[in-house]
Amino acid sequence: MGLLSTLTVATGYCSGRLVARHFSRGVRPGGEELSRLRLDDLAPTPRLELLFGLSPCLLALRAARRRVARLLLQAGRAGLQGERAELLREAEARDIPVLRPRRQKLDALCRHQVHQGVCMEVSPLRPGACREAEEVSPGDDHQQLCLVLEGLQDPRNLGAVLRSAHFLGVDKVIISQRNSCPLTPVVSKASAGAMEVMDVFSTDDLAGFLQAKARQGWLVAGTVGCPGPEVSQSSQTPIMSCLEFLWDQPTLLVLGNEGSGLSQEVQASCRLLLTILPGRQLPPGLESLNVSVAAGILLHSICSQRKGFRAVEKTEKPLQDPQEPPAMSKGL
């Protein structure tokens, strides 16, 4: 128990450098004595949460939006390389204590989520105040795009949407406070860490926010599932395919709840509604897509119109000049 008391003191009062120096004096990280660490010694303290996964932890360290209490790296690996080594260097540079528990303890701490041998005890990540997003005016850039999410409740859906939004170049994400999933470690893992670097805001008056942005010159475009005859007749807002949408002004793309879609109040604030048309006749129950899949399709159909979206495709040097004959191997 001497080592346990040493680790406890080092974690509570000393820096990560002292912990690393203690390991270098002959105690192999993840050795027999470290394997006897109790779960109570590793459990997150109140007001902190356990972030898990290699990309979420590394991006959280780089973004420096959270307070990091401890880094937990799985013991027993044959050396730390690549991004895991970078994690350790970042932690040591910021004096973050590092522990090396066994995989079984990490599994229990993460409730058997896929942690990839990396966890961090961190402060929660909160969305920004919506007034910061309200202050953004269209300006001269007509191709600004913000994603608005009303009532997404599944953390993996939210994470997948954030990952697609970051990949495709969405400027900001605004979520409703009512009936929405918070920014949890599960969301961060599902987003592959995109949650740690995206600009995410929240509002308790989503309809009021959309109306204010419309007055500033933003186009508010809602989304609906495959419109049947009853939907088309009852909707007072025009519905069009996302493939026909022309992105020529700053736009707010609004996605609704996984089951019920957009509320009537929010839908009334939209100037038009975008939809994804199916490629075949669909049986009952299959008329819609998962919200994260729909978000990816809608965002790509819009962002592919961005100037310079295909610049990489045009500037990439071909592997071989088509006018030159193929190089032949000397052996042949």
Side-chain angles (χ1 to χ4, degrees):
M1 296 301 293
L3 177 59
L4 177 59
S5 61
T6 303
L7 279 173
T8 304
V9 172
T11 302
Y13 300 101
C14 297
S15 68
R17 293 194 180 93
L18 290 179
V19 174
R21 192 159 56 235
H22 179 76
F23 286 154
S24 65
R25 288 178 180 174
V27 177
R28 181 174 61 87
E32 181 180 355
E33 296 187 26
L34 273 180
S35 67
R36 293 199 295 265
L37 281 174
R38 297 174 300 173
L39 286 179
D40 293 343
D41 298 317
L42 300 176
T45 57
R47 300 180 183 178
L48 296 176
E49 61 188 19
L50 197 66
L51 191 66
F52 57 91
L54 182 57
S55 291
C57 291
L58 184 57
L59 290 172
L61 272 180
R62 290 173 179 171
R65 294 179 174 181
R66 299 176 183 260
R67 180 172 65 86
V68 181
R70 292 186 294 185
L71 172 64
L72 308 178
L73 291 175
Q74 179 180 321
R77 293 180 178 269
L80 296 176
Q81 299 176 354
E83 292 181 330
R84 288 176 176 81
E86 183 180 348
L87 261 175
L88 184 58
R89 288 193 299 268
E90 290 274 355
E92 291 177 345
R94 293 170 54 179
D95 293 335
I96 297 172
V98 179
L99 294 179
R100 301 296 305 277
R102 291 288 188 183
R103 176 178 178 176
Q104 292 81 354
K105 290 185 170 61
L106 287 182
D107 289 342
L109 285 172
C110 298
R111 299 181 180 180
H112 298 278
Q113 302 276 2
V114 180
H115 52 72
Q116 299 172 292
V118 180
C119 300
M120 277 198 325
E121 191 177 334
V122 296
S123 60
L125 189 63
R126 310 295 185 192
C130 199
R131 61 177 177 272
E132 300 177 32
E134 291 175 351
E135 294 171 356
V136 179
S137 59
D140 297 330
D141 185 4
H142 297 302
Q143 290 194 324
Q144 295 184 56
L145 180 63
C146 292
L147 181 62
V148 182
L149 306 174
E150 183 190 19
L152 260 67
Q153 297 178 343
D154 189 308
R156 289 176 175 81
N157 278 340
L158 178 56
V161 170
L162 291 177
R163 183 175 185 176
S164 296
H166 185 263
F167 180 86
L168 291 168
V170 170
D171 297 299
K172 289 179 173 57
V173 177
I174 298 94
I175 60 177
S176 62
Q177 290 183 7
R178 188 183 310 168
N179 299 326
S180 290
C181 173
L183 301 181
T184 64
V186 176
V187 177
S188 185
K189 183 65 170 66
S191 74
M195 187 188 88
E196 305 298 327
V197 296
M198 280 291 294
D199 290 329
V200 182
F201 304 88
S202 68
T203 175
D204 57 357
D205 182 13
L206 188 55
F209 168 79
L210 296 176
Q211 293 164 12
K213 299 302 288 183
R215 289 192 294 269
Q216 293 179 4
W218 290 73
L219 172 66
V220 181
T223 53
V224 292
C226 180
E230 67 284 352
V231 176
S232 301
Q233 294 175 4
S234 62
S235 175
Q236 301 297 323
T237 308
I239 302 175
M240 66 184 303
S241 167
C242 62
L243 299 178
E244 299 174 355
F245 174 71
L246 179 61
W247 186 24
D248 58 357
Q249 67 181 102
T251 300
L252 294 164
L253 181 66
V254 191
L255 277 73
N257 174 268
E258 291 94 337
S260 56
L262 296 177
S263 65
Q264 293 183 357
E265 185 181 17
V266 168
Q267 185 169 324
S269 304
C270 300
R271 187 189 300 180
L272 59 88
L273 298 173
L274 300 181
T275 189
I276 302 170
L277 297 180
R280 62 175 59 187
Q281 191 71 25
L282 297 175
L286 292 177
E287 303 92 345
S288 63
L289 292 168
N290 174 276
V291 64
S292 64
V293 175
I297 296 173
L298 290 162
L299 290 174
H300 185 268
S301 69
I302 297 174
C303 294
S304 60
Q305 304 177 43
R306 191 190 299 271
K307 296 176 181 178
F309 187 83
R310 303 182 185 276
V312 176
E313 190 176 295
K314 293 180 180 180
T315 57
E316 275 185 348
K317 190 175 181 179
L319 294 179
Q320 183 174 342
D321 190 338
Q323 297 179 353
E324 295 180 2
M328 301 297 290
S329 170
K330 291 183 179 180
L332 297 175

